Amino acid sequence: MSTTQSEKQALFITSLIIFWYSSNIGVLLLNKLLLSNYGFSFPIFLTMCHMSACAVLSYVSIVFLKIVPFQRIKSRSQFFRISTLSIVFCGSVVGGNISLKYLPVSFNQAVGATTPFFTALFAYLITLKREAWLTYGCLVPVVAGVVIASGGEPSFHLYGFIMCIGATAARAFKSVLQGVLLSSEGEKLNSMNLLLYMSPIAVLVLLPVTLVMEPNVINVTATLATENRYLGLLILVNSAMAYGANLLNFLVTKNTSALTLQVLGNAKGAVAVVISILIFRNPVTFIGIAGYTMTVMGVVAYGEVKRRCR
């Protein structure tokens, strides 16, 4: 590869990473803004908007723009497996959005950093897969950091904390379940095709839940949109960014590696915390920062030990 081609490739990957950071952090901050500042307290409906955008934009990207080859569902059992993943995925996104209604983004990210703990737990419970003892040892500061951060969080809310833990566990459960349910070569789907099939199923699951749990959402949202001219636009942008985050996650993984993605993901959480504190000015304490730092360091150590034990 020539120097010019190498420079172009490096520039392309750097641009992808910047857009990936922007879309992920942007969705997180817009979720918090919408659910906290406009009287728009409908996290389930917001999740349904995200899934609707993912369904439409996935179809356009794969069928018309051909970003990735279209993969068909080959059996009824494969469809049921994808549906199961979709329901778990719904639970993780809804739980995360509900938690943002009650918790600051900084604490939400601290709890979310415990994903490796739940992933290791579910991997053992479902597949009986054991890691090296040193790997499990690295998870101790991951959990301890969140316990410390919880004690030092001025805006701690028990219900929001439970929802955030549930969302984190569901996200980890989905990743383990995906490996188990779609493990055969003939049934594997890349993440973009999986999103194409999961999104409309998620919308169908969330629609009745929204109507029961948030029955006045359409009327209230329409009223709020007339009072705040940018509310409708923010929901549309937020939903499109939710798809963009998934697309860019796929492209970054494709053009770098899973390990690079893990390292970048750890840093992304820290960046999101700093930006959210600057924007929302939520109070933080030294104990809270120390707890979050311990969690991130544990996650970094966990990733490094896993890499060396392969």
Side-chain angles (χ1 to χ4, degrees):
M1 188 182 287
S2 67
T3 305
T4 305
Q5 286 177 315
S6 299
E7 289 175 352
K8 285 182 178 178
Q9 180 69 7
L11 181 62
F12 174 69
I13 292 173
T14 303
S15 301
L16 274 182
I17 292 169
I18 291 171
F19 285 126
W20 178 59
Y21 264 51
S22 302
S23 61
N24 274 272
I25 295 172
V27 169
L28 188 66
L29 297 179
L30 271 178
N31 284 349
K32 179 63 178 176
L33 183 70
L34 284 166
L35 294 168
S36 303
N37 290 41
Y38 288 93
F40 178 82
S41 55
F42 304 110
I44 302 174
F45 176 71
L46 183 62
T47 305
M48 193 176 77
C49 291
H50 288 180
M51 293 298 101
S52 299
C54 286
V56 173
L57 295 175
S58 290
Y59 187 81
V60 172
S61 298
I62 294 173
V63 176
F64 291 102
L65 300 181
K66 302 186 186 302
I67 290 177
V68 293
F70 176 62
Q71 295 173 294
R72 295 186 182 277
I73 293 178
K74 296 179 180 179
S75 66
R76 185 177 295 179
S77 65
Q78 187 185 20
F79 172 75
F80 282 121
R81 291 170 184 177
I82 292 170
S83 299
T84 303
L85 286 173
S86 182
I87 292 168
V88 175
F89 182 55
C90 275
S92 70
V93 180
V94 169
N97 285 341
I98 291 175
S99 73
L100 283 172
K101 186 178 171 182
Y102 300 100
L103 298 175
V105 173
S106 53
F107 188 57
N108 175 281
Q109 289 295 285
V111 177
T114 61
T115 301
F117 167 77
F118 289 103
T119 303
L121 176 65
F122 288 128
Y124 176 73
L125 293 175
I126 295 172
T127 67
L128 299 179
K129 179 185 175 184
R130 292 188 179 185
E131 303 284 355
W133 283 109
L134 186 58
T135 306
Y136 290 124
C138 292
L139 293 174
V140 174
V142 171
V143 177
V146 170
V147 173
I148 293 169
S150 301
E153 176 54 54
S155 306
F156 182 82
H157 190 285
L158 182 59
Y159 178 66
F161 177 69
I162 292 170
M163 287 294 102
C164 198
I165 285 285
T168 305
R171 189 161 55 244
F173 184 54
K174 183 245 175 189
S175 66
V176 174
L177 207 59
Q178 184 174 329
V180 173
L181 296 182
L182 300 176
S183 57
S184 67
E185 286 299 321
E187 293 190 346
K188 278 186 179 177
L189 298 172
N190 64 48
S191 60
M192 295 314 299
N193 274 274
L194 186 59
L195 187 67
L196 171 67
Y197 291 117
M198 283 172 54
S199 300
I201 296 170
V203 173
L204 292 175
V205 170
L206 290 169
L207 182 58
V209 177
T210 302
L211 294 174
V212 172
M213 302 287 291
E214 301 170 346
N216 298 320
V217 61
I218 301 300
N219 292 334
V220 175
T221 302
T223 303
L224 290 172
T226 57
E227 296 171 358
N228 303 280
R229 67 172 77 175
Y230 297 114
L231 180 63
L233 180 61
L234 282 174
I235 293 173
L236 283 173
V237 170
N238 183 233
S239 301
M241 285 178 73
Y243 170 73
N246 282 286
L247 174 62
L248 288 161
N249 187 78
F250 171 77
L251 292 175
V252 170
T253 306
K254 184 180 177 182
N255 287 277
T256 56
S257 67
L259 178 62
T260 302
L261 191 76
Q262 186 181 46
V263 173
L264 291 170
N266 295 336
K268 176 174 64 65
V271 172
V273 167
V274 172
I275 293 175
S276 71
I277 291 171
L278 292 174
I279 292 176
F280 297 108
R281 300 191 181 280
N282 55 283
V284 291
T285 63
F286 175 78
I287 294 174
I289 293 171
Y292 179 68
T293 303
M294 181 185 291
T295 294
V296 172
M297 289 176 67
V299 171
V300 172
Y302 173 80
E304 180 62 19
V305 170
K306 279 204 74 172
R307 184 182 68 82
R308 291 186 179 184
C309 289
R310 279 175 188 161

